[in-house]
Amino acid sequence: MRNSTRSQVDAFIVMDVMEAARRAEAAGRHIIHMEVGQPGTAAPQGARDALARAMGEGSMGYTVALGLPALRSRIAQLYGEWYNVDLSPERVIVTPGSSGAFILAFTALFDAGDRVGIGSPGYPSYRQILRALDLVPVDIETAAENRLQPVAADLSGQDLAGLMVASPANPTGTMLDRGAMSELIGAAQGQGARFISDEIYHGIEYEAKAVSALEITDECYVINSFSKYFSMTGWRIGWMVVPEDHVRVIERLAQNLFICPPHASQVAALAAMDCGEELEANMAVYRANRALMLDGLPKAGFDRIAPPDGAFYVYADVSHLTTDSRGFAAEILEKVGVAVTPGLDFDPVRGGGTLRFSYARATADIEEGLRRLARFMAERNAV
């Protein structure tokens, strides 16, 4: 049987790197994981305890398509706590991960052939999901002087139906301040482009708090997830906030595409939101790891890096070392047992000269990884 042209999406390279690392571990090697974009910690204890109680009390069946009302209310409350935004729970939709939210948002907002702008470098699955939905991803090449984030002038002449931004961004960790976010929203809306803000790394910030698009406008889609700050990647639970008159549109799509988000994950997510002490303890680890990376990577020879304002990544320009980041990452894995992600995942044009390093794991792993990277570069320079 033939496949559709829509199915011809690129591989998610970091998943291939993870598989190569798994094979190396199966062969008995000790691998330091700096490739994977997930916390090294488990879901909060309170979340796991709440789910254990719920499972003892009854079965986990379907919920309503938009998610448990208690969870939607608690998410709305979060916007008051974090951003001083008064948000109606009716605008909150619980989704099967942020990936489910992207599918719902792109399907609700765009028609086949529409052009949707995405920052480059950026999260690779934006591009592939858009292609699978017969939409046209438009890479907006960002500049170092703009902190590798799109700016309003970049939208000129692009004929966009939509714009997706991420702050903090993956892979760079850079953020948009309020002024930059406002200008982008204004530029997008000025040409009739729908604005989508990916905020899944909110909560993981260092010097300044991330700005939510909802602080600026209600005419946007905001997507978030329990995967990062709440340390629940494998639970596949996220959410989106949409304008009030879009809720029923999303509800009909969610009913048919997903039926509902996972009931068990919703129970755990609700409890996770009140585990602040444990979540902030995780943040202390990220802060320590970030400091180690900002000191250790330049010493090892990776000294051209984007300023990581949030998330748990460092994005490094290695174009003076290689034009084949995939081969370079494979060499690092083979020679010193450190898994890192090639920049080609995030930037098809310039990514041959970049690498992403994740520091979401235990501090001891980061320390060991930096030692190995320094050894790799010393041996490489000695040849």
Side-chain angles (χ1 to χ4, degrees):
M1 292 184 291
R2 68 179 291 275
N3 292 119
S4 71
T5 56
R6 291 181 295 104
S7 69
Q8 303 306 305
V9 299
D10 297 334
F12 196 173
I13 296 174
V14 68
M15 305 305 292
D16 292 341
V17 175
M18 287 175 64
E19 174 58 20
R22 183 202 64 78
R23 290 196 301 268
E25 287 174 324
R29 298 188 64 195
H30 176 225
I31 303 301
I32 300 296
H33 291 276
M34 289 186 172
E35 86 284 22
V36 63
Q38 69 173 348
T41 50
Q45 186 64 52
R48 288 175 278 149
D49 290 345
L51 179 56
R53 289 192 300 271
M55 291 179 68
E57 295 168 358
S59 62
M60 297 280 107
Y62 293 138
T63 70
V64 292
L66 296 180
L68 293 172
L71 179 55
R72 296 171 70 198
S73 292
R74 184 63 184 86
I75 291 169
Q77 180 183 331
L78 182 74
Y79 283 86
E81 296 168 351
W82 281 11
Y83 313 106
N84 198 30
V85 168
D86 184 9
L87 179 65
S88 168
E90 296 300 315
R91 294 176 56 196
V92 177
I93 292 100
V94 184
T95 60
S98 61
S99 299
F102 297 141
I103 292 168
L104 289 168
F106 296 160
T107 305
L109 291 173
F110 307 120
D111 291 313
D114 276 352
R115 294 164 53 84
V116 181
I118 53 177
S120 184
Y123 179 56
S125 293
Y126 299 152
R127 185 180 300 107
Q128 310 311 334
I129 295 171
L130 288 165
R131 285 175 176 163
L133 294 173
D134 210 15
L135 301 169
V136 180
V138 178
D139 284 315
I140 298 173
E141 189 170 298
T142 61
E145 58 267 29
N146 296 323
R147 305 173 66 78
L148 296 179
Q149 287 279 2
V151 295
D154 294 333
L155 308 190
S156 178
Q158 295 281 13
D159 188 29
L160 300 178
L163 175 67
M164 161 77 77
V165 301
S167 173
N170 176 12
T172 63
T174 63
M175 298 196 313
L176 295 163
D177 63 22
R178 189 182 183 92
M181 177 78 80
S182 296
E183 288 177 6
L184 271 175
I185 291 172
Q189 292 178 342
Q191 60 181 261
R194 281 77 93 191
F195 190 84
I196 307 171
S197 181
D198 178 352
E199 302 181 359
I200 73 168
Y201 291 99
H202 278 220
I204 307 178
E205 310 110 347
Y206 302 101
E207 273 81 34
K209 181 82 183 111
V211 175
S212 173
L214 291 171
E215 297 178 62
I216 298 164
T217 181
D218 286 329
E219 289 301 308
C220 65
Y221 275 37
V222 164
I223 293 172
N224 209 319
S225 171
F226 287 91
S227 289
K228 310 300 182 179
Y229 177 74
F230 294 97
S231 197
M232 294 178 66
T233 50
W235 298 73
R236 310 314 304 137
I237 188 76
W239 76 85
M240 60 197 301
V241 180
V242 303
E244 187 174 351
D245 59 349
H246 286 232
V247 172
R248 181 57 178 162
V249 174
I250 295 290
E251 183 176 27
R252 292 195 302 263
L253 286 167
Q255 289 169 339
N256 287 284
L257 290 174
F258 303 112
I259 299 180
C260 68
H263 190 169
S265 297
Q266 292 185 71
V267 170
L270 177 58
M273 299 189 77
D274 292 317
C275 294
E277 185 175 339
E278 187 173 345
L279 297 170
E280 285 306 305
N282 293 344
M283 280 300 302
V285 174
Y286 302 150
R287 289 189 184 95
N289 291 354
R290 176 178 179 263
L292 287 168
M293 296 288 274
L294 291 178
D295 178 63
L297 284 175
K299 286 180 178 177
F302 302 100
D303 55 358
R304 304 179 184 182
I305 58 180
D309 304 314
F312 32 58
Y313 307 116
V314 176
Y315 196 59
D317 178 353
V318 293
S319 58
H320 57 303
L321 303 173
T322 184
T323 58
D324 177 16
S325 61
R326 195 162 191 172
F328 195 48
E331 183 183 0
I332 293 171
L333 178 62
E334 173 61 29
K335 291 189 174 178
V336 294
V338 179
V340 300
T341 305
L344 283 170
D345 229 2
F346 311 103
D347 187 335
V349 176
R350 299 173 294 175
T354 56
L355 293 175
R356 187 193 74 176
F357 301 86
S358 171
Y359 54 88
R361 311 290 282 199
T363 299
D365 285 346
I366 302 304
E367 292 171 334
E368 174 61 20
L370 288 169
R371 283 191 289 269
R372 295 186 189 188
L373 288 169
R375 185 171 80 247
F376 170 83
M377 291 295 287
E379 291 173 354
R380 190 175 189 272
N381 291 336
V383 173

